[in-house]
Amino acid sequence: QVPYMPGIEVSSWFNHKFSDGFETYAAAKAIGGRTSSLSGNTLPAAAIVDVGAEYRIVESMSVTIELRNVTNQRYELWRGYAAVPLTMSVYATLRW
């Protein structure tokens, strides 16, 4: 068995595009408890929520804001490797 592989992992994604170039999304992920078959260490289950929005200024340019791990859930991907806490990103995209 692969160490810390969850018995169950469920993800969901919702995206909505408005007619005026505005788009939003919400994502949720639930990870079941995990155990290392090598050491017997366990990691608890976690629930992660991300949200974001994008505004297309013109056809080739947009601005995006994302909030990752909105609930600031503290969890480890592997023993000793903490996942990223609440993080906000803002960026611009230029397409040509």
Coordinates of all heavy atoms in Angstrom, one line a residue:
Q1 N 0.8 -1.2 0.0 CA 0.0 0.0 0.0 C 0.9 1.2 0.0 O 1.9 1.3 0.7 CB -0.9 0.0 1.2 CG -1.8 1.2 1.3 CD -2.7 1.2 2.5 OE1 -2.8 0.2 3.2 NE2 -3.3 2.3 2.8
V2 N 0.5 2.2 -0.8 CA 1.2 3.5 -0.9 C 1.0 4.3 0.4 O -0.1 4.5 0.9 CB 0.7 4.3 -2.1 CG1 1.5 5.7 -2.1 CG2 0.9 3.6 -3.4
P3 N 2.1 4.7 1.1 CA 1.9 5.5 2.4 C 1.1 6.7 2.2 O 1.2 7.4 1.2 CB 3.3 5.8 2.7 CG 4.2 4.9 2.0 CD 3.5 4.5 0.7
Y4 N 0.2 7.0 3.2 CA -0.7 8.2 3.2 C -1.6 8.3 2.0 O -2.1 9.4 1.8 CB 0.2 9.4 3.4 CG 1.0 9.4 4.6 CD1 2.4 9.5 4.5 CD2 0.5 9.3 5.9 CE1 3.2 9.4 5.7 CE2 1.3 9.2 7.0 CZ 2.6 9.3 6.9 OH 3.4 9.3 8.0
M5 N -1.9 7.3 1.3 CA -2.9 7.3 0.3 C -4.3 7.3 0.9 O -4.6 6.3 1.7 CB -2.7 6.1 -0.7 CG -3.6 6.2 -1.9 SD -3.2 7.6 -2.9 CE -2.6 6.8 -4.3
P6 N -5.2 8.3 0.7 CA -6.5 8.3 1.3 C -7.3 7.1 0.8 O -7.3 6.7 -0.3 CB -7.0 9.6 0.9 CG -6.4 10.0 -0.3 CD -5.0 9.4 -0.3
G7 N -8.2 6.6 1.7 CA -9.1 5.6 1.3 C -10.2 6.2 0.4 O -10.8 5.5 -0.4
I8 N -10.5 7.5 0.6 CA -11.5 8.1 -0.2 C -11.0 9.6 -0.4 O -10.5 10.2 0.5 CB -12.9 8.1 0.4 CG1 -13.9 8.7 -0.5 CG2 -12.9 8.8 1.8 CD1 -15.4 8.4 -0.1
E9 N -11.3 10.1 -1.6 CA -11.0 11.5 -1.9 C -12.1 12.0 -2.9 O -12.3 11.3 -3.9 CB -9.6 11.7 -2.5 CG -9.3 13.1 -2.8 CD -7.8 13.3 -3.3 OE1 -7.0 12.6 -2.7 OE2 -7.6 14.1 -4.2
V10 N -12.8 13.0 -2.5 CA -13.9 13.5 -3.3 C -13.7 15.0 -3.7 O -13.3 15.8 -2.8 CB -15.3 13.4 -2.6 CG1 -16.4 13.9 -3.4 CG2 -15.5 11.9 -2.2
S11 N -13.9 15.3 -4.9 CA -13.7 16.7 -5.4 C -14.9 17.2 -6.1 O -15.6 16.4 -6.8 CB -12.5 16.8 -6.3 OG -11.3 16.5 -5.6
S12 N -15.2 18.5 -6.0 CA -16.3 19.1 -6.7 C -15.9 20.4 -7.2 O -15.2 21.2 -6.5 CB -17.5 19.2 -5.8 OG -18.6 19.8 -6.4
W13 N -16.4 20.8 -8.4 CA -16.1 22.1 -9.0 C -17.3 22.7 -9.6 O -18.1 22.1 -10.3 CB -15.0 21.9 -10.1 CG -14.6 23.1 -10.9 CD1 -15.3 23.6 -12.0 CD2 -13.5 23.9 -10.7 NE1 -14.6 24.7 -12.4 CE2 -13.5 24.9 -11.6 CE3 -12.5 23.9 -9.7 CZ2 -12.5 25.9 -11.7 CZ3 -11.5 24.8 -9.8 CH2 -11.5 25.8 -10.8
F14 N -17.5 24.0 -9.3 CA -18.7 24.7 -9.9 C -18.1 26.0 -10.5 O -17.3 26.7 -9.9 CB -19.7 25.1 -8.8 CG -20.8 26.0 -9.3 CD1 -21.8 25.5 -10.0 CD2 -20.7 27.4 -9.1 CE1 -22.8 26.3 -10.5 CE2 -21.7 28.2 -9.5 CZ -22.8 27.7 -10.3
N15 N -18.5 26.2 -11.8 CA -18.1 27.4 -12.5 C -19.3 28.1 -13.1 O -20.2 27.4 -13.6 CB -17.1 26.9 -13.6 CG -16.5 28.0 -14.4 OD1 -15.9 28.9 -13.8 ND2 -16.5 28.0 -15.7
H16 N -19.3 29.4 -13.1 CA -20.4 30.1 -13.7 C -19.8 31.3 -14.5 O -19.1 32.1 -13.9 CB -21.4 30.7 -12.6 CG -22.6 31.4 -13.2 ND1 -23.6 30.7 -13.8 CD2 -22.9 32.7 -13.3 CE1 -24.5 31.5 -14.3 NE2 -24.1 32.8 -14.0
K17 N -20.2 31.4 -15.8 CA -19.8 32.5 -16.6 C -21.0 33.4 -16.8 O -22.1 33.0 -17.2 CB -19.4 31.9 -18.0 CG -18.1 31.1 -17.9 CD -17.7 30.7 -19.3 CE -16.4 29.9 -19.2 NZ -15.9 29.5 -20.5
F18 N -20.8 34.7 -16.5 CA -21.8 35.7 -16.7 C -21.6 36.3 -18.1 O -20.5 36.2 -18.7 CB -21.6 36.8 -15.6 CG -21.8 36.3 -14.2 CD1 -20.8 35.8 -13.5 CD2 -23.1 36.4 -13.6 CE1 -21.0 35.4 -12.2 CE2 -23.3 35.9 -12.4 CZ -22.3 35.4 -11.6
S19 N -22.6 36.9 -18.6 CA -22.5 37.4 -20.0 C -21.6 38.6 -20.2 O -21.2 38.9 -21.3 CB -23.9 37.8 -20.5 OG -24.5 38.8 -19.6
D20 N -21.2 39.3 -19.1 CA -20.4 40.5 -19.2 C -18.9 40.3 -19.1 O -18.2 41.2 -18.7 CB -20.9 41.6 -18.2 CG -20.8 41.1 -16.8 OD1 -20.4 40.0 -16.6 OD2 -21.1 41.9 -15.9
G21 N -18.4 39.1 -19.2 CA -17.0 38.8 -19.1 C -16.5 38.5 -17.7 O -15.3 38.4 -17.4
F22 N -17.5 38.3 -16.8 CA -17.2 38.0 -15.4 C -17.4 36.5 -15.2 O -18.5 36.0 -15.6 CB -18.0 38.8 -14.5 CG -17.7 38.7 -13.0 CD1 -16.5 39.1 -12.5 CD2 -18.7 38.1 -12.2 CE1 -16.2 38.9 -11.2 CE2 -18.4 38.0 -10.8 CZ -17.2 38.4 -10.3
E23 N -16.5 35.8 -14.5 CA -16.6 34.4 -14.3 C -16.2 34.1 -12.9 O -15.3 34.7 -12.3 CB -15.7 33.6 -15.3 CG -15.7 32.2 -15.2 CD -14.8 31.5 -16.3 OE1 -14.5 32.2 -17.3 OE2 -14.4 30.4 -16.1
T24 N -16.9 33.2 -12.2 CA -16.6 32.8 -10.8 C -16.5 31.2 -10.8 O -17.0 30.5 -11.6 CB -17.6 33.2 -9.8 OG1 -18.9 32.7 -10.2 CG2 -17.8 34.8 -9.8
Y25 N -15.8 30.8 -9.7 CA -15.7 29.3 -9.5 C -15.6 29.1 -8.0 O -15.1 29.9 -7.2 CB -14.6 28.7 -10.3 CG -13.2 28.8 -9.6 CD1 -12.8 27.9 -8.6 CD2 -12.3 29.8 -10.0 CE1 -11.6 28.0 -8.0 CE2 -11.1 30.0 -9.4 CZ -10.7 29.0 -8.4 OH -9.5 29.2 -7.8
A26 N -16.0 27.9 -7.6 CA -15.8 27.4 -6.3 C -15.5 25.9 -6.4 O -16.0 25.2 -7.2 CB -17.1 27.5 -5.5
A27 N -14.5 25.5 -5.6 CA -14.1 24.1 -5.6 C -14.0 23.6 -4.2 O -13.6 24.3 -3.3 CB -12.7 24.0 -6.3
A28 N -14.3 22.3 -4.0 CA -14.3 21.7 -2.7 C -13.6 20.3 -2.8 O -13.9 19.6 -3.8 CB -15.7 21.6 -2.0
K29 N -12.9 20.0 -1.8 CA -12.2 18.7 -1.8 C -12.2 18.1 -0.4 O -11.9 18.8 0.5 CB -10.8 18.9 -2.3 CG -10.0 17.6 -2.4 CD -8.5 18.0 -2.9 CE -7.8 16.9 -3.6 NZ -6.5 17.3 -4.0
A30 N -12.6 16.8 -0.3 CA -12.5 16.1 1.0 C -11.6 15.0 0.9 O -11.6 14.2 -0.1 CB -13.9 15.6 1.3
I31 N -10.6 14.9 1.8 CA -9.6 13.8 1.8 C -9.8 13.0 3.1 O -9.8 13.6 4.2 CB -8.2 14.4 1.8 CG1 -8.0 15.3 0.6 CG2 -7.2 13.3 1.7 CD1 -6.7 16.1 0.6
G32 N -10.0 11.7 2.9 CA -10.2 10.9 4.1 C -8.9 10.7 4.9 O -7.8 11.1 4.4
G33 N -9.0 10.2 6.1 CA -7.8 9.9 6.9 C -6.8 9.0 6.2 O -7.2 8.2 5.3
R34 N -5.6 9.2 6.5 CA -4.5 8.4 5.8 C -3.6 7.8 6.8 O -3.3 8.4 7.8 CB -3.8 9.3 4.8 CG -4.7 9.8 3.7 CD -4.3 11.1 3.2 NE -4.6 12.1 4.2 CZ -4.0 13.3 4.4 NH1 -3.0 13.6 3.6 NH2 -4.3 14.1 5.3
T35 N -3.1 6.6 6.5 CA -2.1 5.9 7.3 C -0.9 5.4 6.5 O -1.0 5.1 5.4 CB -2.8 4.6 7.9 OG1 -4.0 5.0 8.6 CG2 -1.9 3.9 8.9
S36 N 0.2 5.5 7.2 CA 1.4 5.0 6.5 C 1.6 3.5 6.9 O 1.7 3.2 8.1 CB 2.7 5.7 7.0 OG 3.8 5.1 6.6
S37 N 1.6 2.6 5.9 CA 1.8 1.2 6.2 C 3.2 0.9 6.7 O 3.4 -0.1 7.4 CB 1.5 0.4 5.0 OG 2.4 0.8 3.9
L38 N 4.1 1.8 6.5 CA 5.5 1.6 6.9 C 5.7 1.9 8.4 O 6.3 1.2 9.1 CB 6.5 2.4 6.1 CG 6.4 2.2 4.6 CD1 7.3 3.2 3.8 CD2 6.9 0.7 4.3
S39 N 5.2 3.1 8.8 CA 5.4 3.5 10.2 C 4.2 3.4 11.1 O 4.3 3.5 12.3 CB 5.9 5.0 10.2 OG 4.9 5.8 9.7
G40 N 3.0 3.3 10.5 CA 1.8 3.3 11.3 C 1.3 4.7 11.7 O 0.2 4.8 12.3
N41 N 2.0 5.7 11.3 CA 1.5 7.1 11.5 C 0.2 7.4 10.8 O 0.0 6.9 9.7 CB 2.6 8.1 11.1 CG 3.8 8.1 11.9 OD1 3.7 7.8 13.1 ND2 4.9 8.5 11.4
T42 N -0.6 8.2 11.3 CA -1.9 8.5 10.7 C -2.0 10.1 10.5 O -1.4 10.8 11.3 CB -3.1 8.1 11.5 OG1 -3.1 8.7 12.7 CG2 -3.1 6.6 11.6
L43 N -2.7 10.5 9.4 CA -3.0 11.8 9.2 C -4.5 12.0 9.1 O -5.2 11.2 8.5 CB -2.4 12.3 7.8 CG -0.9 12.2 7.7 CD1 -0.4 12.6 6.3 CD2 -0.2 13.2 8.7
P44 N -5.0 13.0 9.8 CA -6.5 13.2 9.8 C -7.1 13.6 8.5 O -6.4 14.1 7.6 CB -6.7 14.3 10.9 CG -5.4 15.0 10.9 CD -4.3 14.1 10.5
A45 N -8.4 13.4 8.4 CA -9.1 13.8 7.2 C -9.1 15.3 7.1 O -8.9 16.0 8.1 CB -10.5 13.3 7.3
A46 N -9.3 15.9 5.9 CA -9.3 17.3 5.7 C -10.4 17.7 4.6 O -10.7 16.9 3.8 CB -7.9 17.8 5.3
A47 N -10.9 18.9 4.7 CA -11.8 19.5 3.7 C -11.2 20.8 3.3 O -10.9 21.7 4.1 CB -13.2 19.7 4.3
I48 N -11.1 21.0 2.0 CA -10.4 22.2 1.4 C -11.4 22.9 0.5 O -12.1 22.2 -0.3 CB -9.1 21.9 0.7 CG1 -8.2 21.2 1.6 CG2 -8.5 23.1 0.1 CD1 -8.2 19.7 1.6
V49 N -11.5 24.2 0.6 CA -12.4 25.0 -0.3 C -11.6 26.1 -0.9 O -10.8 26.8 -0.3 CB -13.6 25.7 0.6 CG1 -14.4 26.5 -0.3 CG2 -14.4 24.6 1.2
D50 N -11.7 26.3 -2.2 CA -11.1 27.3 -3.0 C -12.2 28.1 -3.8 O -13.2 27.5 -4.2 CB -10.1 26.7 -4.1 CG -9.0 25.9 -3.5 OD1 -8.6 26.2 -2.3 OD2 -8.6 25.0 -4.2
V51 N -12.0 29.4 -3.9 CA -12.9 30.2 -4.7 C -12.1 31.2 -5.6 O -10.9 31.5 -5.3 CB -13.9 31.0 -3.8 CG1 -14.8 30.1 -3.1 CG2 -13.1 32.0 -2.9
G52 N -12.7 31.6 -6.7 CA -12.0 32.6 -7.5 C -12.9 33.3 -8.4 O -14.1 32.9 -8.6
A53 N -12.4 34.4 -9.0 CA -13.2 35.2 -10.0 C -12.3 35.7 -11.0 O -11.1 36.0 -10.8 CB -13.9 36.3 -9.3
E54 N -12.8 35.8 -12.3 CA -12.0 36.4 -13.4 C -12.9 37.4 -14.1 O -14.0 37.2 -14.3 CB -11.6 35.3 -14.3 CG -10.8 35.8 -15.6 CD -10.4 34.8 -16.6 OE1 -11.2 33.8 -16.7 OE2 -9.4 34.9 -17.2
Y55 N -12.3 38.5 -14.4 CA -13.0 39.6 -15.2 C -12.2 39.8 -16.5 O -11.0 40.1 -16.4 CB -13.1 40.9 -14.4 CG -13.8 41.9 -15.2 CD1 -15.1 41.8 -15.6 CD2 -13.1 43.0 -15.7 CE1 -15.8 42.7 -16.3 CE2 -13.8 44.0 -16.4 CZ -15.1 43.8 -16.7 OH -15.7 44.8 -17.5
R56 N -12.8 39.6 -17.6 CA -12.2 39.8 -18.9 C -12.4 41.2 -19.3 O -13.5 41.6 -19.6 CB -12.8 38.8 -19.9 CG -12.0 38.8 -21.2 CD -12.4 37.6 -22.1 NE -12.0 36.4 -21.4 CZ -11.2 35.5 -21.7 NH1 -10.5 35.7 -22.9 NH2 -10.9 34.5 -21.0
I57 N -11.4 42.0 -19.3 CA -11.4 43.4 -19.6 C -11.7 43.6 -21.1 O -12.6 44.4 -21.4 CB -10.1 44.1 -19.1 CG1 -9.9 44.0 -17.6 CG2 -10.1 45.6 -19.5 CD1 -8.6 44.3 -17.1
V58 N -10.9 43.0 -21.9 CA -11.1 42.9 -23.3 C -10.8 41.5 -23.7 O -10.4 40.7 -22.9 CB -10.2 43.9 -24.1 CG1 -10.6 45.3 -23.8 CG2 -8.7 43.6 -23.8
E59 N -11.0 41.1 -24.9 CA -10.9 39.7 -25.4 C -9.5 39.1 -25.0 O -9.4 38.0 -24.7 CB -11.1 39.6 -26.9 CG -11.1 38.2 -27.4 CD -12.2 37.3 -26.8 OE1 -13.3 37.8 -26.5 OE2 -12.0 36.1 -26.6
S60 N -8.5 39.9 -25.1 CA -7.1 39.4 -24.8 C -6.6 39.7 -23.5 O -5.4 39.3 -23.2 CB -6.2 40.0 -25.9 OG -6.2 41.4 -25.8
M61 N -7.3 40.3 -22.6 CA -6.8 40.7 -21.2 C -7.8 40.4 -20.1 O -9.0 40.7 -20.3 CB -6.4 42.1 -21.2 CG -5.7 42.5 -19.9 SD -5.4 44.3 -19.7 CE -4.6 44.8 -21.2
S62 N -7.3 39.8 -19.1 CA -8.2 39.5 -17.9 C -7.4 39.7 -16.6 O -6.2 39.6 -16.6 CB -8.8 38.1 -18.0 OG -7.8 37.1 -17.9
V63 N -8.2 39.9 -15.5 CA -7.7 40.0 -14.2 C -8.3 38.9 -13.4 O -9.6 38.7 -13.4 CB -7.9 41.3 -13.6 CG1 -7.5 41.4 -12.1 CG2 -7.3 42.4 -14.4
T64 N -7.6 38.2 -12.6 CA -8.1 37.0 -11.8 C -7.7 37.2 -10.3 O -6.6 37.6 -10.0 CB -7.5 35.7 -12.3 OG1 -7.8 35.6 -13.7 CG2 -8.1 34.5 -11.5
I65 N -8.6 36.8 -9.4 CA -8.3 36.7 -8.0 C -8.7 35.3 -7.5 O -9.8 34.8 -7.9 CB -9.0 37.8 -7.2 CG1 -8.6 37.8 -5.7 CG2 -10.5 37.7 -7.3 CD1 -9.0 38.9 -4.9
E66 N -7.8 34.7 -6.7 CA -8.1 33.4 -6.2 C -7.8 33.3 -4.7 O -6.9 33.9 -4.2 CB -7.2 32.3 -6.9 CG -7.5 32.1 -8.3 CD -6.6 31.0 -8.9 OE1 -5.6 30.7 -8.3 OE2 -7.0 30.5 -9.9
L67 N -8.7 32.7 -4.0 CA -8.5 32.4 -2.6 C -8.4 30.9 -2.5 O -9.4 30.2 -2.8 CB -9.6 32.9 -1.7 CG -9.7 34.4 -1.6 CD1 -11.0 34.8 -1.0 CD2 -8.6 35.0 -0.9
R68 N -7.3 30.4 -2.0 CA -7.1 28.9 -1.8 C -7.1 28.6 -0.4 O -6.7 29.4 0.5 CB -5.7 28.5 -2.4 CG -5.4 28.9 -3.8 CD -5.9 27.8 -4.6 NE -5.7 28.1 -6.1 CZ -5.8 27.2 -7.0 NH1 -6.0 25.9 -6.7 NH2 -5.7 27.5 -8.2
N69 N -7.7 27.5 -0.1 CA -7.9 27.0 1.3 C -8.6 28.0 2.2 O -8.1 28.5 3.2 CB -6.5 26.6 1.9 CG -6.6 25.8 3.2 OD1 -7.7 25.5 3.7 ND2 -5.5 25.5 3.8
V70 N -9.7 28.4 1.7 CA -10.5 29.5 2.3 C -10.7 29.3 3.8 O -10.7 30.3 4.6 CB -11.9 29.7 1.6 CG1 -12.8 30.7 2.3 CG2 -11.6 30.1 0.2
T71 N -11.0 28.1 4.3 CA -11.2 27.8 5.7 C -9.9 27.8 6.5 O -9.9 27.5 7.7 CB -12.0 26.5 5.8 OG1 -11.2 25.5 5.3 CG2 -13.3 26.6 5.2
N72 N -8.8 27.9 5.8 CA -7.5 27.9 6.5 C -7.3 26.6 7.2 O -6.7 26.5 8.3 CB -7.2 29.1 7.4 CG -5.8 29.3 7.7 OD1 -4.9 29.0 6.9 ND2 -5.5 29.9 8.8
Q73 N -7.7 25.5 6.6 CA -7.6 24.1 7.1 C -6.1 23.8 7.2 O -5.4 23.8 6.2 CB -8.3 23.1 6.2 CG -8.2 21.7 6.5 CD -9.0 21.2 7.7 OE1 -10.2 21.5 7.7 NE2 -8.5 20.6 8.6
R74 N -5.7 23.4 8.4 CA -4.3 23.0 8.5 C -4.2 21.4 8.4 O -4.9 20.7 9.2 CB -3.8 23.4 9.9 CG -3.6 24.9 9.9 CD -2.9 25.4 11.2 NE -2.4 26.7 11.2 CZ -3.1 27.8 11.1 NH1 -4.4 27.7 11.1 NH2 -2.6 29.0 11.1
Y75 N -3.5 21.0 7.4 CA -3.4 19.5 7.2 C -2.0 19.3 6.5 O -1.4 20.2 6.0 CB -4.5 19.0 6.3 CG -4.6 19.5 4.9 CD1 -4.1 18.7 3.9 CD2 -5.1 20.8 4.6 CE1 -4.2 19.2 2.6 CE2 -5.1 21.2 3.3 CZ -4.6 20.4 2.3 OH -4.7 20.9 1.0
E76 N -1.7 18.0 6.5 CA -0.4 17.6 5.9 C -0.7 16.7 4.7 O -1.6 15.8 4.8 CB 0.5 16.8 6.9 CG 0.9 17.7 8.1 CD 1.8 16.9 9.1 OE1 1.4 15.7 9.4 OE2 2.7 17.5 9.6
L77 N 0.0 16.9 3.7 CA -0.1 16.0 2.5 C 0.6 14.7 2.8 O 0.2 13.6 2.5 CB 0.5 16.7 1.3 CG -0.1 18.0 0.9 CD1 0.6 18.7 -0.2 CD2 -1.6 17.7 0.4
W78 N 1.8 14.8 3.4 CA 2.6 13.7 3.9 C 3.1 14.1 5.3 O 3.1 15.3 5.6 CB 3.8 13.5 3.0 CG 3.5 12.9 1.7 CD1 3.0 13.6 0.6 CD2 3.6 11.6 1.2 NE1 2.8 12.8 -0.4 CE2 3.2 11.5 -0.1 CE3 4.0 10.4 1.8 CZ2 3.1 10.3 -0.8 CZ3 4.0 9.2 1.1 CH2 3.6 9.2 -0.2
R79 N 3.5 13.2 6.1 CA 3.9 13.5 7.5 C 5.1 14.5 7.4 O 6.1 14.2 6.7 CB 4.4 12.2 8.2 CG 5.0 12.4 9.6 CD 4.1 12.9 10.7 NE 3.0 12.0 10.9 CZ 1.9 12.3 11.5 NH1 1.7 13.5 12.0 NH2 0.9 11.4 11.6
G80 N 4.9 15.7 8.0 CA 6.0 16.7 8.0 C 5.9 17.7 6.8 O 6.7 18.6 6.7
Y81 N 5.0 17.5 5.9 CA 4.8 18.4 4.7 C 3.5 19.1 4.8 O 2.5 18.6 4.2 CB 5.0 17.6 3.4 CG 6.4 17.1 3.2 CD1 6.7 15.8 3.6 CD2 7.3 17.8 2.6 CE1 8.0 15.3 3.5 CE2 8.6 17.4 2.4 CZ 8.9 16.1 2.9 OH 10.2 15.6 2.7
A82 N 3.4 20.2 5.5 CA 2.2 20.9 5.6 C 1.7 21.5 4.3 O 2.5 22.0 3.5 CB 2.4 22.1 6.6
A83 N 0.4 21.4 4.1 CA -0.2 22.0 2.9 C -0.2 23.6 3.1 O -0.1 24.1 4.2 CB -1.7 21.5 2.7
V84 N -0.4 24.3 2.0 CA -0.4 25.7 2.0 C -1.6 26.2 2.8 O -2.8 25.8 2.5 CB -0.4 26.2 0.5 CG1 -0.5 27.7 0.5 CG2 0.8 25.7 -0.2
P85 N -1.5 27.2 3.7 CA -2.6 27.8 4.4 C -3.4 28.7 3.5 O -3.1 28.8 2.3 CB -1.9 28.5 5.5 CG -0.6 28.9 5.0 CD -0.2 27.8 4.1
L86 N -4.3 29.5 4.0 CA -5.1 30.4 3.3 C -4.1 31.3 2.5 O -3.2 31.9 3.0 CB -5.9 31.3 4.2 CG -6.6 32.5 3.6 CD1 -7.7 32.0 2.5 CD2 -7.3 33.3 4.6
T87 N -4.4 31.3 1.1 CA -3.5 32.1 0.2 C -4.4 32.9 -0.8 O -5.3 32.3 -1.3 CB -2.6 31.1 -0.6 OG1 -1.9 30.3 0.4 CG2 -1.6 31.9 -1.4
M88 N -4.0 34.1 -1.0 CA -4.7 34.9 -2.0 C -3.8 35.2 -3.1 O -2.6 35.7 -2.9 CB -5.3 36.2 -1.4 CG -6.0 37.0 -2.5 SD -6.8 38.5 -1.8 CE -5.4 39.6 -1.8
S89 N -4.2 35.1 -4.4 CA -3.4 35.4 -5.5 C -4.2 36.3 -6.4 O -5.4 36.1 -6.6 CB -3.0 34.1 -6.3 OG -2.3 33.2 -5.6
V90 N -3.5 37.3 -7.0 CA -4.1 38.3 -7.9 C -3.2 38.3 -9.1 O -2.0 38.5 -8.9 CB -4.3 39.7 -7.3 CG1 -4.9 40.6 -8.4 CG2 -5.2 39.6 -6.1
Y91 N -3.7 38.2 -10.3 CA -2.8 38.2 -11.4 C -3.6 38.7 -12.7 O -4.8 38.6 -12.8 CB -2.1 36.9 -11.7 CG -2.9 35.7 -11.7 CD1 -3.4 35.2 -12.9 CD2 -3.2 35.0 -10.5 CE1 -4.2 34.0 -12.9 CE2 -4.0 33.8 -10.5 CZ -4.5 33.4 -11.7 OH -5.2 32.2 -11.7
A92 N -2.8 39.1 -13.7 CA -3.4 39.6 -14.9 C -2.9 38.7 -16.0 O -1.7 38.2 -15.9 CB -2.9 41.0 -15.2
T93 N -3.7 38.4 -17.0 CA -3.3 37.5 -18.1 C -3.5 38.3 -19.4 O -4.5 39.0 -19.6 CB -4.3 36.3 -18.1 OG1 -4.2 35.6 -16.9 CG2 -3.9 35.3 -19.3
L94 N -2.5 38.2 -20.3 CA -2.6 38.8 -21.6 C -2.5 37.7 -22.6 O -1.5 36.9 -22.6 CB -1.5 39.8 -21.8 CG -1.4 40.6 -23.1 CD1 -2.7 41.4 -23.3 CD2 -0.2 41.5 -23.1
R95 N -3.5 37.5 -23.5 CA -3.4 36.5 -24.6 C -3.3 37.1 -25.9 O -3.8 38.2 -26.2 CB -4.8 35.7 -24.5 CG -5.0 35.0 -23.3 CD -6.5 34.4 -23.3 NE -6.9 33.8 -22.0 CZ -7.4 34.5 -21.0 NH1 -7.6 35.8 -21.1 NH2 -7.7 33.8 -19.9
W96 N -2.4 36.5 -26.7 CA -2.3 37.0 -28.1 C -2.2 35.9 -29.1 O -2.1 34.7 -28.8 CB -1.1 37.9 -28.3 CG 0.2 37.2 -28.0 CD1 1.0 36.6 -28.9 CD2 0.9 37.1 -26.8 NE1 2.1 36.1 -28.3 CE2 2.1 36.4 -27.0 CE3 0.7 37.6 -25.5 CZ2 3.0 36.1 -26.0 CZ3 1.6 37.3 -24.5 CH2 2.8 36.6 -24.7

